[in-house]
Amino acid sequence: MSPADENSPSALDHVLILAPYRKDADYLARLLGDHQVNVEIGLAGNNLAELLAASPGVLIGTHEALTPAAIEAVADHLNRQPSWAEMPVVVLLDRASRPDQVRAELSRVWPRARLLFYQRPVTAVELVSGVQSALLVRLRQREVRDHIAREIELRRELNHRVKNILASVTSIFEMTRRGATSVEVLARDFRGRLGALDKVHSAVFHAEDDAVSIAEIAALTFEPYMVGDDERIVAQGPPVTLHREAGTTMALCLHELTTNAIKYGAMSRPEGRVRFTWEVSKTQAPELGIRWKEYGGPTVEEPMRIGYGTRYVRSALTSMFGRPPQISFERDGLRCEARGLFSPLSATSDSHGS
Amino acid sequence: MRIFYLEDNPLIAMHVEQLVEDGGHVFAGTASSFEELRERFDTLVMDCALVDIDLADGHTGPQAVVWLKERGVPSIFVTGQSQVAEEYRDVAVGVVPKPISESLLSEKLRLLASVVNNSD
């Protein structure tokens, strides 16, 4: 990265100059200012703790600025640094001083600083490049800080999602158990429902933007039941992308409708057909409409008791669309239609919580 | 007792609906966001509510519990975030962690029933 980049380190951080002599301070400020480095000058008598609290990216101190009080104030600041930080400190030593001794002493009292020593006279080129390099170190430290924050956020989000999935799986299990007449039926139905959840999870994960299209959900759901260019199930509609929660709900609904069609409906006969279609209205507040229609299967009779599938489809589509779906057991086949505002379901909306 | 459920996961809502009915109560419906609850509140009849913390409109469960309490509706949290729920122990009657234990839920429903009956 060149220093002229808009992300240049000096654009984010300022350099605090500690030089008791006004002339030194002004020289350093002008030199660094000429190289687009923001500076703040701390003169003798200024409140050093306050200047440090403004969190300078780099500290430059002349030898004579390092009074016992100043050393203590800087040590105090360094000790308060967050774990990601090691403030770079540039020390300008006197020509007559003994650098090894000063370095040993400062390393002892400032254990969490990146110390850089120059012995005067120092050329402008050396000093400027030293400070720029120190600012770059500081920028990298801030990047580490951002990564740590992001990781904490991701861990929290991961925990949240795992909890949600476990809660969903528990509910699927308990509900499946209620309807099961034998352990074999329980195992088969539970496996099928987990499989549907797994497939849509993979589809959403691979998309990387937490979105999934209805066509993809339909393809994943119907794929195990299609043989060759099977025309028994037709899925048709424009490209529509749903966000993760809506996509998951849609996948689970389609799974229930499909398994129901296989067990009792159109798919239980070779000549039976299913049409699944969807569209988005071109109105000012677009609505998403979905329609499931079976025909050519056995004559349909209204079931005596409402099973998991119907119950789930009804409550899930109600929650998704904000109004109940129309489910009708027509003689030539089951129909299920739902319609509601598209924006809360759309992958591009940011109104849904995650 | 008429029990409303503020929850945006339809699977869990359906499970709880059955548990509520098993307990001899009336399931008074669901809403998936605090916003939806406020919009529909005047058309709803409920004695108490079960409330998740994260809803379709964000982290709004705690606000919903406070809002319901102001309208004389006691609530319990049903949530995977028990620690957050603990911060609101003064407003909510109790907490049922997720995944839901059927026995714990019915125990907390009895607790809610005693609160509802005492306020009558």
Side-chain angles (χ1 to χ4, degrees):
Chain A
M1 183 167 60
S2 81
D5 279 353
E6 55 173 2
N7 290 328
S8 135
S10 54
L12 294 169
D13 276 312
H14 70 276
V15 173
L16 176 60
I17 298 171
L18 296 184
Y21 302 124
R22 184 92 228 184
K23 209 177 71 175
D24 287 350
D26 287 345
Y27 169 74
L28 288 167
R30 198 169 55 247
L31 179 64
L32 294 173
D34 285 348
H35 291 83
Q36 289 79 47
V37 175
N38 299 320
V39 294
E40 170 120 32
I41 297 175
L43 295 165
N46 283 149
N47 186 336
L48 184 51
E50 248 171 50
L51 292 170
L52 289 167
S55 195
V58 175
L59 178 66
I60 300 183
T62 58
H63 202 156
E64 53 281 3
L66 303 177
T67 61
I71 289 174
E72 196 188 324
V74 172
D76 191 48
H77 176 70
L78 292 170
N79 282 329
R80 287 167 198 266
Q81 292 178 115
S83 58
W84 51 266
E86 274 185 2
M87 184 171 69
V89 181
V90 178
V91 181
L92 302 178
L93 299 173
D94 284 340
R95 187 201 299 261
S97 65
R98 296 174 53 196
D100 292 347
Q101 204 180 344
V102 179
R103 174 187 286 272
E105 172 63 11
L106 288 183
S107 300
R108 191 180 61 77
V109 289
W110 295 345
R112 289 190 53 210
R114 295 217 157 207
L115 295 172
L116 191 62
F117 293 92
Y118 290 102
Q119 198 151 23
R120 287 184 283 198
V122 56
T123 68
V125 172
E126 269 181 299
L127 187 63
V128 168
S129 69
V131 168
Q132 279 172 339
S133 153
L135 281 165
L136 200 57
V137 165
R138 187 60 166 181
L139 179 73
R140 293 284 175 260
Q141 290 178 4
R142 289 196 194 282
E143 283 170 358
V144 168
R145 172 199 63 187
D146 295 345
H147 282 300
I148 293 171
R150 178 86 185 119
E151 193 192 307
I152 290 170
E153 177 61 29
L154 280 175
R155 279 172 52 83
R156 192 177 295 139
E157 176 65 20
L158 180 65
N159 176 47
H160 191 71
R161 289 199 190 182
V162 169
K163 281 261 182 197
N164 269 339
I165 291 170
L166 288 177
S168 293
V169 169
T170 303
S171 289
I172 291 176
F173 177 76
E174 294 295 346
M175 299 292 296
T176 307
R177 189 173 62 88
R178 282 165 177 263
T181 46
S182 69
V183 175
E184 285 72 29
V185 170
L186 167 63
R188 183 200 61 199
D189 291 355
F190 186 55
R191 200 180 293 128
R193 285 165 184 152
L194 279 194
L197 198 59
D198 173 56
K199 273 191 252 175
V200 71
H201 168 80
S202 299
V204 171
F205 178 77
H206 286 303
E208 285 185 353
D209 53 357
D210 261 9
V212 62
S213 75
I214 299 183
E216 196 179 355
I217 296 169
L220 285 171
T221 310
F222 303 147
E223 181 258 322
Y225 313 109
M226 308 273 263
V227 186
D229 48 354
D230 199 336
E231 288 178 351
R232 290 194 304 158
I233 308 182
V234 172
Q236 207 167 58
V240 172
T241 334
L242 304 177
H243 63 68
R244 179 165 46 89
E245 287 88 355
T248 304
T249 301
M250 178 75 87
L252 295 179
C253 284
L254 278 188
H255 170 78
E256 293 307 325
L257 288 166
T258 308
T259 49
N260 182 71
I262 290 164
K263 275 195 260 179
Y264 315 107
M267 301 286 288
S268 67
R269 299 264 178 90
E271 63 276 19
R273 296 286 182 270
V274 173
R275 270 184 70 80
F276 171 58
T277 54
W278 63 94
E279 85 275 310
V280 175
S281 69
K282 297 211 161 43
T283 44
Q284 195 177 7
E287 288 195 333
L288 172 65
I290 61 164
R291 167 191 265 230
W292 172 276
K293 188 170 180 301
E294 296 176 31
Y295 55 99
T299 306
V300 172
E301 280 166 36
E302 185 111 15
M304 297 294 285
R305 67 176 256 291
I306 299 176
Y308 174 111
T310 314
R311 207 179 240 273
Y312 176 71
V313 169
R314 187 169 288 153
S315 88
L317 293 179
T318 305
S319 148
M320 204 172 146
F321 289 102
R323 61 181 94 135
Q326 285 189 301
I327 299 177
S328 48
F329 298 91
E330 293 182 22
R331 283 186 68 81
D332 65 331
L334 176 87
R335 266 170 224 189
C336 173
E337 290 183 36
R339 163 170 290 278
L341 274 185
F342 177 50
S343 62
L345 311 172
S346 164
T348 49
S349 85
D350 48 16
S351 62
H352 68 101
S354 59
Chain B
M1 188 162 66
R2 290 159 300 193
I3 303 171
F4 189 81
Y5 191 17
L6 200 52
E7 165 67 74
D8 66 336
N9 182 331
L11 272 170
I12 296 168
M14 179 173 82
H15 182 202
V16 167
E17 177 178 354
Q18 292 228 320
L19 297 179
V20 162
E21 285 169 0
D22 288 353
H25 302 292
V26 174
F27 193 73
T30 65
S32 59
S33 66
F34 180 32
E35 188 186 348
E36 186 189 339
L37 171 72
R38 278 177 300 184
E39 273 170 20
R40 289 174 45 207
F41 188 71
D42 290 342
T43 67
L44 299 168
V45 184
M46 65 182 83
D47 299 310
C48 59
L50 308 176
V51 178
D52 188 11
I53 285 184
D54 273 305
L55 299 166
D57 53 357
H59 201 69
T60 52
Q63 286 160 259
V65 166
V66 172
W67 191 87
L68 284 167
K69 193 185 182 191
E70 286 164 5
R71 280 150 189 84
V73 179
S75 315
I76 55 177
F77 282 115
V78 178
T79 177
Q81 304 176 66
S82 304
Q83 304 102 306
V84 180
E86 278 299 310
E87 294 167 26
Y88 291 85
R89 58 190 314 158
D90 299 342
V91 236
V93 175
V95 182
V96 175
K98 282 182 185 171
I100 295 164
S101 139
E102 302 195 350
S103 59
L104 187 62
L105 180 71
S106 59
E107 182 192 318
K108 295 290 175 178
L109 287 183
R110 282 195 294 279
L111 185 65
L112 259 182
S114 69
V115 173
V116 169
N117 291 333
N118 284 339
S119 68
D120 283 347

